[in-house]
Amino acid sequence: MRPELVARLGENVPRYTSYPTAPHFHPGVDAAVCRGWLQALNEGDEISLYLHIPYCDKLCWFCACHTKQTRHYEPVTKYLRSLHAEIATVSRLAGGKGRVRAVHFGGGSPTMLKPQDMVALGDVLRNSFSFLPGAKISVEIEPNDMDEARLDALAEIGMTRASLGVQDFDPKVQKAINREQTFLQTKTVVDGVRTRGVESVNLDLLYGLPHQTRESVLSTVMQALTLEPDRIALFGYAHVPWFKKHQTMIDEAWLPGPEERFAQSQLAARAILDQGYEAIGLDHFAKPGDALALAAHAGMLRRNFQGYTEDRCETLIGLGPSSISQFRQGYVQNMPTTAEYGRMVDDGGLASVRGIAFSDDDRARGWIIERLMCDSGFSAIDLVERFGEAGQRLLCKASSTALLDPARMLELHGDRFVVPVESRPFVRSVAAKFDKYFETGKARHSVAV
């Protein structure tokens, strides 16, 4: 790797699951604004739903999600009553105008719900919204939660995609991150969802964790590949103890340095590609016939708060504390504190507390960043045709970036601006060049690779 790229291994940049990114949301976009955006949905709009379950029965030290540990189920029961209330309010405001194309259950640990509560939640959703035939239902699964009754419940709500957190199978690494999970546990859940007809299985793996080495990462990848997942997400551990205090339980002396992290990521990626998977965007892999791979080939890959997706819905409605909704007008985020969220929705209100309305410039920059993250490049002609003057201004920015950057991380090939193959692991750093908020913002971010 060229020295000028090595120097960028330690850069801290956003992950760009949205643009503008969440640190730049503000309280001017609140419940009243969200109410108006919900009511402005069109009759034929296709929508996605995200449901956040903000509880785990055991807290993993590596996790940066909005969640809390509970050893008792009463808080979960109380939370579910609030979630049902929010669903009813959102459904009423939407007035039946949105048709659901996809649902994603995230957390926290959605699978810590009791089976009857998971089924009841699925029923509430279908009674509150109009579902399109073939709607996709994705669930994040914590294998330590699972038993036959929970597997049956997930089948009953129509789960079509199971996403299992693996992280690493090495016992030393697992102990350091407080996530002990055997290969056999993982295999049992994979087998269990497949026997119940689930069409797609995703495994989440991490590199850059405490005590990880190239050998241990490769061992985990090879074990994961024996399960023949349809998709693999290979994330770099984001060490952000200033944001998630429980990450202070991880001794920074145990963490691999930037060059070792990069080596782990490249070794793991090569092993996955050698088994016939296709690289999707920055950090995902899929079998050639998977919907994600087909979307990438067609230039229709998208990126949202759940990562890479084939979901083309313009509207994503987030339900639960801290959830973020995306409308054609902008983003809006719910109150992150679970207790306060409950007080806001229990009496029929919305929990929206901050967000951002898109300017023409935001839309153009967001399109560039999404195309960079998804396709490693973008068309100059498309940019100007889609966004007019805003696109023309950014075309000048792209041209100067391609001409003046000594690291050559963006090049102009005919009509297209392209991130060269050797620079693609650094695509977040390229995207940051089109983020007008990045240099002036005060938010701290994880490392680029």
Side-chain angles (χ1 to χ4, degrees), residues 360-432:
D360 290 342
D361 183 69
D362 289 334
R363 296 179 198 277
R365 290 174 184 270
W367 180 83
I368 289 175
I369 288 171
E370 185 175 41
R371 295 320 340 135
L372 286 169
M373 296 296 297
C374 292
D375 303 333
S376 301
F378 61 93
S379 163
I381 293 174
D382 281 354
L383 175 63
V384 176
E385 287 183 347
R386 287 171 178 268
F387 302 104
E389 290 185 10
Q392 189 66 53
R393 289 192 296 270
L394 288 170
L395 181 59
C396 297
K397 168 68 175 175
S399 298
S400 63
T401 298
L403 288 171
L404 301 176
D405 183 5
R408 304 193 307 279
M409 296 175 70
L410 188 68
E411 298 177 350
L412 181 58
H413 295 174
D415 151 66
R416 287 186 61 80
F417 289 93
V418 176
V419 180
V421 172
E422 66 177 347
S423 296
R424 288 179 186 174
F426 306 88
V427 68
R428 289 166 57 197
S429 295
V430 181

Side-chain angles (χ1 to χ4, degrees), residues 167-336:
Q167 325 319 339
D168 190 288
F169 285 124
D170 187 295
K172 184 177 182 181
V173 176
Q174 290 184 354
K175 184 176 180 180
I177 62 175
N178 200 37
R179 173 66 174 264
E180 297 180 39
Q181 171 185 325
T182 67
F183 173 80
L184 181 59
Q185 281 179 292
T186 306
K187 183 180 187 304
T188 299
V189 175
V190 170
D191 292 344
V193 298
R194 283 183 168 148
T195 59
R196 289 164 174 82
V198 168
E199 63 191 40
S200 179
V201 172
N202 172 78
L203 299 182
D204 285 347
L205 308 179
L206 285 177
Y207 63 87
L209 288 170
H211 301 308
Q212 274 186 323
T213 64
R214 298 174 211 187
E215 292 75 16
S216 70
V217 169
L218 183 59
S219 175
T220 288
V221 169
M222 299 310 294
Q223 290 178 77
L225 287 167
T226 67
L227 301 177
E228 299 186 359
D230 301 275
R231 301 178 182 180
I232 295 175
L234 178 65
F235 299 121
Y237 165 55
H239 190 61
V240 287
W242 59 87
F243 177 58
K244 291 296 177 181
K245 297 300 183 185
H246 57 260
Q247 288 190 353
T248 59
M249 299 295 292
I250 294 176
D251 189 333
E252 294 186 358
W254 300 342
L255 296 174
E259 292 189 43
E260 174 63 21
R261 279 175 62 102
F262 182 75
Q264 291 176 8
S265 73
Q266 297 306 292
L267 186 65
R270 175 47 53 197
I272 296 168
L273 293 171
D274 285 347
Q275 293 300 310
Y277 288 79
E278 296 187 4
I280 307 296
L282 173 65
D283 49 21
H284 281 49
F285 303 84
K287 290 184 175 180
D290 185 87
L292 204 62
L294 297 177
H297 282 296
M300 300 177 69
L301 187 66
R302 298 291 306 279
R303 187 166 171 84
N304 64 19
F305 301 107
Q306 284 77 61
Y308 289 106
T309 178
E310 70 276 18
D311 180 7
R312 301 293 297 172
C313 294
E314 188 176 21
T315 300
L316 167 65
I317 298 175
L319 301 160
S322 81
S323 293
I324 300 175
S325 297
Q326 178 176 351
F327 297 92
R328 63 175 61 89
Q329 300 92 336
Y331 298 122
V332 61
Q333 185 172 24
N334 277 355
M335 163 62 65

Side-chain angles (χ1 to χ4, degrees), residues 50-55 65-68 79-80 82-83 86 106-108 318-324 333-342 344-345 351-353:
Y50 170 77
L51 288 87
H52 188 68
I53 308 300
Y55 289 100
C65 298
H66 176 75
T67 187
K68 62 174 67 175
Y79 167 67
L80 288 173
S82 298
L83 183 59
E86 186 188 18
L319 301 160
S322 81
S323 293
I324 300 175
Q333 185 172 24
N334 277 355
M335 163 62 65
T337 306
T338 304
E340 184 61 27
Y341 158 85
M344 296 174 76
V345 301
S352 315
V353 292

